Amino acid sequence: MTSTPEDFAYPPDYDQFMREHHPQLMRLSIQRMRTVDDADDALQEAAVRIFKKWEIVSAHPNPVALAREIVRKSCASHYRKIAAEERRVARYVRTLGQPVTTADDILALRGMERLDRAWAALEERAPRQAECVRLRYTEEMNNAEIAVELGITVNAVKSSVHLGLASLRKTMENPSGEEES
């Protein structure tokens, strides 16, 4: 059996409480948040929490004070969510260089298919070389850092990077893998 909107109703006292105190709770939220939209989002989250705890809130000696406390905590929680999202976007930007992939970005990658095939071949034939090249050029690690990361010597890193680049170059120049005469 599924419930319909007609089957569901807020407790009348909750509905009356929110109608009566919404302006004051919204002002509190606006004071604590950066934008009206963020304040509205935080207040909506608080309203859900108040609803879920309505029996406790309504039985409290000062329900408005408890509701205000829930709004304050909701604002703090909303800031944490915003900060977490900003960190995710910053990692994404650092990793890919731009926050949004555009059609121009996709068109620019058309010629990258050969490079992708060359990388796949290198990773299959010589995974250590591929990892050394990746760490050197995409993670921008120096040879000593790569050596520590992979547990090999600096000379092994230098050799792997050199051989890996040579292999990539050769595969890119001759993608069919046939020997030139």
Side-chain angles (χ1 to χ4, degrees), residues 95-142:
T95 303
L96 299 179
Q98 327 185 14
V100 178
T101 301
T102 65
D104 292 336
D105 297 331
I106 293 169
L107 290 174
L109 293 175
R110 281 188 308 195
M112 301 300 285
E113 186 177 338
R114 283 186 15 208
L115 179 59
D116 289 339
R117 278 192 253 128
W119 266 110
L122 181 61
E123 287 175 341
E124 187 177 311
R125 272 193 320 269
R128 177 172 286 164
Q129 289 176 11
E131 184 67 6
C132 286
V133 171
R134 187 187 68 75
L135 291 173
R136 180 74 177 103
Y137 293 100
T138 62
E139 300 293 324
E140 297 179 352
M141 296 173 90
N142 64 37

Side-chain angles (χ1 to χ4, degrees), residues 8-11 14 46-55 57:
F8 180 79
Y10 291 110
Y14 169 80
V48 169
R49 289 179 186 162
I50 292 168
F51 177 75
K52 288 179 179 178
K53 298 178 180 185
W54 182 242
E55 288 182 20
V57 172

Side-chain angles (χ1 to χ4, degrees), residues 8-174:
F8 180 79
Y10 291 110
D13 51 341
Y14 169 80
D15 193 44
Q16 180 183 353
F17 177 86
M18 289 307 293
R19 287 179 194 272
E20 185 177 327
H21 299 287
H22 182 271
Q24 139 186 26
L25 296 175
M26 186 63 178
R27 280 192 303 275
L28 172 64
S29 186
I30 289 171
Q31 290 169 359
R32 294 185 164 275
M33 302 304 292
R34 293 181 208 161
T35 68
V36 174
D37 289 336
D38 286 342
D40 190 46
D41 289 346
L43 183 57
Q44 289 298 320
E45 292 170 16
V48 169
R49 289 179 186 162
I50 292 168
F51 177 75
K52 288 179 179 178
K53 298 178 180 185
W54 182 242
E55 288 182 20
I56 297 168
V57 172
S58 62
H60 193 272
N62 189 346
V64 176
L66 185 54
R68 289 176 60 82
E69 181 62 26
I70 291 171
V71 170
R72 280 192 289 276
K73 288 181 179 178
S74 182
C75 289
S77 174
H78 194 72
Y79 269 135
R80 283 192 294 275
K81 287 178 187 173
I82 290 170
E85 180 63 23
E86 287 173 355
R87 285 191 303 272
R88 277 193 297 277
V89 168
R91 277 196 307 271
Y92 180 74
V93 169
R94 276 195 312 271
T95 303
L96 299 179
Q98 327 185 14
V100 178
T101 301
T102 65
D104 292 336
D105 297 331
I106 293 169
L107 290 174
L109 293 175
R110 281 188 308 195
M112 301 300 285
E113 186 177 338
R114 283 186 15 208
L115 179 59
D116 289 339
R117 278 192 253 128
W119 266 110
L122 181 61
E123 287 175 341
E124 187 177 311
R125 272 193 320 269
R128 177 172 286 164
Q129 289 176 11
E131 184 67 6
C132 286
V133 171
R134 187 187 68 75
L135 291 173
R136 180 74 177 103
Y137 293 100
T138 62
E139 300 293 324
E140 297 179 352
M141 296 173 90
N142 64 37
N143 292 340
E145 292 170 331
I146 297 169
V148 170
E149 179 78 19
L150 299 180
I152 58 178
T153 66
V154 173
N155 285 337
V157 170
K158 289 177 186 178
S159 176
S160 292
V161 169
H162 175 76
L163 292 172
L165 287 174
S167 178
L168 284 173
R169 196 174 298 115
K170 180 179 177 183
T171 306
M172 290 288 294
E173 290 170 356
N174 186 12

